[in-house]
Amino acid sequence: MKIQFFKEAKKIWEGIAQDARVDVLNFELEIHKKLLSIFQVGDYYYFIFNVGNAEFEYVSPEIEKILGYNESITAIDFLNNIHPEDQPYFLNFENTLHNFFRGLPLEKYTKYKVRYDFRIKNTNGDYIRLLHQLVILQHDDEGNITRSLGIHTDIGYLKPEGVPMLSFIGMEGEPSFTNVQPNAIFTPAKELFSKREKQVLRLLAEGKSSADISGILNISKFTTDTHRRNMMKKTSTHSGVDLVMKSVKEGWI
């Protein structure tokens, strides 16, 4: 499954780059210019991605502060740590990115910022939510993208839950397209918990008792306890504390 996910992503990137010739690029000036245009307040790191090779050419050392990884992390290792529920979103977003830029004239390639979010596991085994922002650094005369600059910002405090969202942000007067619905080529896996179970789980994580939850959700204590038992069975946990701890670690809440 992990290798297949990387292969699917690599196919998309190969389609974006195709047979474009990649020249040596003096990154420093471009990096500083682009960082000014897409920087957001919060812990972040940035990277240069070689689309044709499907590999990082540079990752800033701040990645260790946010994820615990060092600058030598490979693309396949990075992708394999994306939350399994978010991997289909990632692939659909990258495919939509490809189609979006193919529909633009070349002079507008550098006037758009791609923005979406996903959850990824850090070296402690916990999932955090990153805001992925990307701009085009280099493309050839045929419109094949060869290099991009990305910034990953920790936005867990801004968006603790919810499905990943995709937007194309126009710069230099270009229109923006927010909450874009991609073609669902890759289907997200069925969620582990029902909507009601998630409500109960979030309240458990807040330290609420079954009696408290029953009153808040206007359901019986028997129903609340049934939801708890069902969730523990699904997660192979044996107590409410274990259920909450595992759910936080696995990114279920």
Side-chain angles (χ1 to χ4, degrees):
M1 175 59 185
K2 291 183 177 181
I3 297 297
Q4 185 61 32
F5 173 47
F6 178 75
K7 286 181 178 179
E8 293 294 348
K10 193 169 186 294
K11 274 190 217 173
I12 295 171
W13 293 329
E14 287 173 348
I16 294 173
Q18 294 193 23
D19 296 321
R21 180 170 160 267
V22 180
D23 298 319
V24 175
L25 181 65
N26 182 352
F27 292 129
E28 187 172 359
L29 180 59
E30 288 295 327
I31 288 175
H32 287 296
K33 288 161 97 178
K34 297 297 184 182
L35 280 175
L36 288 174
S37 69
I38 66 175
F39 175 77
Q40 281 196 347
V41 176
D43 291 336
Y44 76 98
Y45 64 91
Y46 63 93
F47 58 91
I48 305 294
F49 188 71
N50 186 310
V51 182
N53 293 342
E55 195 53 82
F56 295 117
E57 288 192 350
Y58 174 80
V59 179
S60 70
E62 292 82 5
I63 189 174
E64 188 166 1
K65 177 182 178 182
I66 298 173
L67 296 177
Y69 308 124
N70 61 38
E71 304 99 300
S72 64
I73 187 170
T74 63
I76 187 170
D77 287 339
F78 184 89
L79 265 61
N80 283 339
N81 283 301
I82 292 178
H83 197 293
E85 292 176 2
D86 291 354
Q87 290 180 4
Y89 287 101
F90 181 94
L91 295 174
N92 288 332
F93 291 165
E94 287 292 300
N95 190 65
T96 303
L97 176 160
H98 180 195
N99 295 331
F100 178 82
F101 280 99
R102 280 297 181 181
L104 292 177
L106 293 182
E107 64 270 16
K108 292 190 177 183
Y109 269 41
T110 57
K111 295 182 179 180
Y112 274 94
K113 173 176 65 175
V114 181
R115 185 179 72 193
Y116 59 81
D117 61 282
F118 56 84
R119 293 165 294 173
I120 186 168
K121 186 184 294 184
N122 62 21
T123 53
N124 292 328
D126 300 319
Y127 283 101
I128 67 170
R129 189 177 297 271
L130 293 180
L131 177 65
H132 171 88
Q133 297 184 92
L134 177 146
V135 290
I136 305 305
L137 276 185
Q138 188 181 55
H139 62 82
D140 66 11
D141 293 338
E142 302 300 319
N144 300 309
I145 299 169
T146 55
R147 283 188 176 98
S148 61
L149 168 69
I151 290 184
H152 284 163
T153 307
D154 181 357
I155 61 165
Y157 68 101
L158 292 173
K159 185 178 179 180
E161 58 187 46
V163 299
M165 302 298 296
L166 169 68
S167 296
F168 297 99
I169 307 302
M171 301 181 288
E172 300 179 39
E174 295 299 323
S176 295
F177 305 91
T178 58
N179 298 335
V180 175
Q181 295 299 315
N183 291 329
I185 298 174
F186 302 91
T187 306
K190 184 179 179 181
E191 291 198 15
L192 181 63
F193 302 126
S194 68
K195 182 178 179 180
R196 178 63 87 187
E197 286 174 339
K198 281 191 171 183
Q199 291 174 328
V200 172
L201 182 57
R202 292 187 192 107
L203 291 170
L204 282 173
E206 292 174 9
K208 299 290 192 299
S209 67
S210 291
D212 294 332
I213 295 170
S214 300
I216 293 170
L217 298 181
N218 195 28
I219 58 178
S220 70
K221 184 176 180 300
F222 175 81
T223 300
T224 300
D225 289 337
T226 299
H227 287 312
R228 290 181 61 164
R229 286 195 298 271
N230 289 340
M231 287 189 287
M232 286 190 288
K233 183 177 180 180
K234 289 179 180 180
T235 57
S236 299
T237 53
H238 304 289
S239 71
V241 173
D242 290 342
L243 171 63
V244 170
M245 290 180 63
K246 186 170 184 178
S247 296
V248 170
K249 185 174 182 179
E250 295 297 330
W252 296 327
I253 55 173

